[in-house]
Each structure stands twice: as C-alpha cells, then as structure tokens.
Amino acid sequence: MKTLRSSLLLLGGGIALVSPLTALAREAPAAPAALVSFTEPESIKRLERSKHKVDFFHLANQFESQTNKAFCGPASAAIVLNALRVDNAAIARPLDPTLLGEKDRALLPAGFEPLFQRYTQNNFFDEASSQVKSREQVFGKPRAEGEKRDGGIQLRQLHGMLAAKGLDVRLRVADGTLPDATIKAELKENLKTANDYVIINYARPVLGQKGGGHISPLGAYDQASDSFLVLDVNPNGQQWVWAKADALIQAMRTPDSVENRGYLLVKEGPAAQASGTK
C-alpha cells in the first residue's frame, strides 16, 4: 500500500499517492493472461484439482471484507489471526466493544457479554501493534511533529504489527535478491501445509486491475494452470481471482514507499502459545 504524503487518491485497496502510483497504473502492461474470477466454472475446476489448498478452507471460513479503503492490511491480518486462533483456547482473543452500541447493550441482561472473542479490523490496533503503526498513522497522522505523513500500511510495518501479536512472521521482500523460483516454491509449500498462511502485497495494475497497491491473503495454487488464488479483501468492484504465477510475482516486484512489495509467511508463535498473549 502506498504512502500518504500530500494529495490523496483513494484507490480500490487502500490510500495511495497520486504520484508515482498513477504512473505505474498508466505504464504497467496488462496481465499476460486473463484473470479468472472465483465465480467462473473454470475456478471450480482449478480448486477441485489443486494440491495446494489447505489454507483456503480455513481462510474462507474466517473471511471478511475490508471496512474502508485503507484497511486491506488490517482485514487480511484479522482473517489470518482468526484462522490461527479462533479454536485455540490457550490464547486469549480480544473483544471489540465498537461492534455494539450503548443503547443496544443497555437492553441486555446484566452481566451478559454478547460479543465473541475474535480479531477485528478495529481491535487489531492494540497497544502492542500501535507501537509499530497506529490507526491514526494509517490515516495519515505523522508519527511526530514535523515528520512526513505515512498513510496506509507498508508490508514491513504489517510484519511488525503481526509479530507484536506473538505470531511467527517471515518478511519476504520481492527484490533482486529473491529469485522467482524461490518465491513460487515458498508460496506453494505454504499453501499445501496446515497452520500457516501467506499474505501478499502487490500492485493491481500489473495484473491488469484498476487501483494501486493492495494486500490480501493467498488461498490456493493450481499446478495445471500455474495460477494462485488471491482472496481479495475488497469485494467492492473486485473479486477473488486466479492469477498466473509469473504475473503475481511481477506484481509483488513493484516499488512501494521505501522498498519493493512482497509477502509474509505467517504461523503461530511459540511464545504466544505458551503465554496466551493476544
């Protein structure tokens, strides 16, 4: 997701600069092969024959769309956190009091708590994660007086926020030191093993989509079509899609504010499991 500095342009998945992201949108070539929507019959075939789809069912069960144009990162994080922890009694999950108004709560029996303990895009911003980046900073508040605005969430920042939740998170920046073959192999391996997930950061225009930088989880890989299923957290004008592996990797090899985009490999952290840290 691009940084917010001056003029704002609200793009499909997040808040971005008018420049240089619009230049990327103008200059990026169309995807080498058409995206396949999850609603198409071909998608069913790909998912059925996929040997790398363990993650899909857990993510789909916890899926939620982003609540605003800046929250593709928090939405992706909430989905993965719930997929990892919703059935884990050893870890205390937070409540989100913003989901229920005082008028509604006043009608309930005394002492009754109607909310489920689960991660949301709001309570993702707790004291620990906000040390990395706060909700206000995501919307453009400078970290300190005189500093530049840094709206949205960069991949490295999301890495730090998830690590602050006690997760084991590997940051993979898609730069010149990371070969395409390594990226593809790591994504495929993650998607066929249980209890770990992939969150990708990519530029939509490289896939032939409208918008700018975006963050979403990956759900599956199909060998026959050599494509990955992107569980797009913004269904407002976008869809879950199968994207060719080469095109998706190139979409991650695009520059963000300070470095290239890339992906996160996420699983439960041993310290959180032992201590019950949120």
Side-chain angles (χ1 to χ4, degrees), residues 114-134:
L115 297 177
F116 294 105
Q117 289 182 298
R118 60 184 291 111
Y119 294 91
T120 71
Q121 295 167 54
N122 289 327
N123 66 26
F124 176 66
F125 295 95
D126 62 7
E127 183 177 356
S129 65
S130 293
Q131 293 298 311
V132 180
K133 193 157 198 176
S134 69

Side-chain angles (χ1 to χ4, degrees), residues 100 102-115:
L100 193 70
E102 289 302 317
K103 290 183 179 179
D104 292 331
R105 189 174 286 277
L107 299 173
L108 300 172
F112 175 69
E113 177 52 70
L115 297 177

